[in-house]
């Protein structure tokens, strides 16, 4: 079984809006529905679990019914951080998934995820136990301690920009979050950073510059522009 674990627990404070950014309407459709439709339409995705902000569960279910998201099987509460939200989703799946099932973690606010990216993450995960979508870095990279100045450059040839989705064998990702609890690790930015901290090797899957993460008003305008180009 391949399960899409969609993280929609954020409040979207950086957007300066009255509602969470994942529920903002663009062309009369919530951003999260654009995201869910990509997994709904992918033949290799069997079920969808959404980790959702409290107070928005029933709204999400209503939207899913309105837009025929039939693969949405479960909605669970998010946490105060991304780490906690992913952990909540993994814990919920512990009684549902076997170790060899694949869990694909994805941000609800990356609505332009493509079928190609989903497929390649699954292929890499079947081969290596994980598949993390990523793209080469094309910008000059400088290291800074204070975000004011720098005197250290980093070779962009040695850097990959990691995105979501990220596919993991359930046994691997479940054990990682169990180990995190035992070691008191509670603040990893994402699943990939947790696995790196625990000494795992990650394998890259295809990503895309169009796989935009909507975190601020400029990103929202970019999303609208890309939709218009479609």
């Amino acid at each position: 079984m391949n399960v899409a674990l969609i993280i929609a627990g954020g409040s979207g404070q950086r957007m300066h809006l009255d509602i969470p950014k994942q529920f903002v309407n663009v062309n009369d459709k919530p951003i999260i529905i654009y995201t869910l439709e990509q997994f709904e339409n992918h033949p290799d995705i069997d079920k969808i679990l959404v980790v959702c902000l409290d107070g928005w569960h029933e709204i999400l279910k209503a939207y899913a019914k309105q837009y025929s998201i039939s693969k949405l099987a479960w909605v669970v509460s998010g946490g105060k951080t991304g780490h906690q939200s992913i952990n909540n989703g993994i814990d919920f799946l512990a009684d549902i998934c076997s170790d060899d099932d694949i869990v694909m973690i994805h941000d609800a606010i990356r609505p332009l995820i493509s079928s190609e990216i989903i497929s390649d993450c699954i292929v890499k995960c079947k081969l290596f136990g994980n598949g993390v979508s990523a793209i080469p870095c094309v910008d000059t990279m400088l290291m800074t301690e204070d975000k004011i100045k720098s005197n250290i450059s980093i070779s962009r040839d040695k850097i990959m920009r990691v995105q979501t989705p990220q596919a993991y064998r359930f046994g691997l990702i479940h054990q990682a979050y169990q180990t995190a609890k035992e070691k008191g690790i509670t603040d990893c930015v994402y699943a990939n950073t947790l696995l790196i901290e625990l000494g795992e090797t990650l394998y890259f899957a295809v990503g895309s510059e169009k796989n935009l993460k909507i975190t601020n008003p400029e990103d929202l305008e970019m999303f609208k522009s890309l939709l218009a180009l479609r």
Side-chain angles (χ1 to χ4, degrees):
M1 180 169 64
N2 299 330
V3 178
L5 172 53
I6 310 300
I7 305 302
S11 59
Q13 294 178 349
R14 282 177 286 183
M15 291 287 286
H16 308 296
L17 298 171
D18 294 331
I19 65 173
K21 55 196 170 187
Q22 58 269 31
F23 289 99
V24 170
N25 276 326
V26 176
N27 297 343
D28 296 321
K29 184 189 293 185
I31 288 172
I32 191 171
I33 294 299
Y34 286 96
T35 304
L36 294 180
E37 284 177 336
Q38 302 310 309
F39 292 94
E40 174 72 22
N41 295 330
H42 197 286
D44 292 334
I45 298 299
D46 300 302
K47 300 286 185 181
I48 299 172
L49 164 64
V50 176
V51 179
C52 186
L53 193 67
D54 281 339
W56 289 85
H57 292 205
E58 296 307 315
I59 295 172
L60 173 61
K61 291 175 183 178
Y63 279 139
K65 183 177 181 181
Q66 178 183 350
Y67 290 95
S68 302
I69 309 297
S70 62
K71 293 180 182 178
L72 178 62
W74 313 285
V75 180
V76 301
S77 294
K80 293 182 179 180
T81 66
H83 179 99
Q84 292 173 2
S85 290
I86 296 174
N87 182 77
N88 288 358
I90 297 298
D91 276 353
F92 180 84
L93 291 173
D95 294 328
I96 298 170
C97 292
S98 69
D99 284 351
D100 287 332
D101 286 336
I102 291 176
V103 175
M104 181 171 289
I105 304 173
H106 186 66
D107 299 312
I109 50 174
R110 286 189 187 268
L112 292 176
I113 172 66
S114 69
S115 178
E116 177 190 12
I117 292 175
I118 295 172
S119 294
D120 198 52
C121 280
I122 292 173
V123 168
K124 294 300 193 304
C125 188
K126 287 181 177 179
L127 285 172
F128 304 115
N130 66 74
V132 177
S133 60
I135 56 176
C137 181
V138 298
D139 298 312
T140 299
M141 305 298 293
L142 300 178
M143 183 179 292
T144 179
E145 299 291 340
D146 56 11
K147 300 190 186 303
I148 297 173
K149 62 185 182 298
S150 173
N151 60 2
I152 301 174
S153 65
I154 305 172
S155 173
R156 63 189 177 189
D157 294 334
K158 297 182 179 180
I159 293 177
M160 294 289 283
R161 290 169 51 198
V162 176
Q163 304 176 328
T164 64
Q166 300 174 8
Y168 302 97
R169 294 280 188 186
F170 183 75
L172 172 67
I173 196 66
H174 183 228
Q175 183 58 54
Y177 277 88
Q178 291 298 112
T179 301
K181 291 176 188 176
E182 295 168 5
K183 293 188 173 184
I185 302 171
T186 61
D187 58 352
C188 280
V189 175
Y190 219 84
N192 60 303
T193 55
L194 173 60
L195 286 172
I196 290 290
E197 185 168 341
L198 295 178
E200 296 287 342
T201 298
L202 299 183
Y203 294 85
F204 297 128
V206 67
S208 171
E209 292 283 0
K210 293 180 181 178
N211 188 16
L212 179 71
K213 185 177 182 180
I214 302 174
T215 58
N216 56 53
E218 290 79 9
D219 297 328
L220 184 58
E221 292 306 311
M222 182 68 74
F223 173 52
K224 292 177 181 178
S225 298
L226 289 169
L227 281 180
L229 288 174
R230 282 185 168 184

